[in-house]
Amino acid sequence: MKLKPYEALLLGLALGLFLFTVGFLAGRLTAKNRIQISSVPTNRVLVSPPGEAFEEDKRLSALDLNTASEQELTNLPGIGPELAKAIITYREEHEGFTVPSELLNISGIGLATYEKLEPLVTVNTVRPREGENP
């Protein structure tokens, strides 16, 4: 069976469209499985306790609430300039954070926002608790 020139052209176009669609869908599926890297800047050195293997986990990109600048805080999801200022004000009024969950004490940060922030923040700079000597 011999194809006419226009039939061969249509068949080639259909095959090309099919291959393009398959490639496009395959690319979209793999894009969903890519790991996203946090844009939170890290310039801190973390040391694991003796006897424990160092784990490259969320601590590597965690932002210290006690030392973060306003700009660094605004890079966090759900934190704009006003909330960044509120975090810094809270930090100054309470002489720093002892645990990340203290973010829930700040007006404008609810449970949903905190759940997004929890893996991205830490409190590496320890402050003495009430009644403790520095």
Side-chain angles (χ1 to χ4, degrees):
M1 172 178 167
K2 185 165 170 107
L3 295 176
K4 295 178 183 171
Y6 73 91
E7 291 175 329
L9 178 65
L10 288 176
L11 185 60
L13 288 173
L15 181 60
L17 181 60
F18 174 77
L19 292 175
F20 173 80
T21 303
V22 169
F24 177 77
L25 292 175
R28 288 193 44 114
L29 288 175
T30 58
K32 287 182 181 179
N33 296 328
R34 289 189 185 135
I35 297 172
Q36 292 185 352
I37 305 214
S38 173
S39 63
V40 177
T42 58
N43 58 354
R44 293 154 184 87
V45 176
L46 300 175
V47 180
S48 64
E52 288 186 20
F54 182 78
E55 296 178 16
E56 292 190 44
D57 59 7
K58 64 184 179 183
R59 294 177 296 162
L60 284 178
S61 63
L63 185 64
D64 189 345
L65 292 172
N66 287 332
T67 59
S69 68
E70 183 178 335
Q71 179 60 44
E72 289 174 315
L73 291 168
T74 58
N75 289 331
L76 294 170
I79 304 297
E82 294 302 315
L83 275 178
K85 288 176 187 170
I87 292 170
I88 291 172
T89 300
Y90 181 91
R91 175 174 74 197
E92 291 169 351
E93 290 175 354
H94 296 87
E95 298 178 7
F97 290 86
T98 55
V99 291
S101 61
E102 285 183 76
L103 286 171
L104 291 168
N105 297 332
I106 298 170
S107 177
I109 299 180
L111 189 56
T113 302
Y114 175 71
E115 287 175 350
K116 292 177 191 173
L117 296 174
E118 185 181 20
L120 303 175
V121 297
T122 189
V123 180
N124 290 330
T125 310
V126 181
R127 68 171 166 93
R129 297 181 190 273
E130 288 183 33
E132 290 182 0
N133 290 330

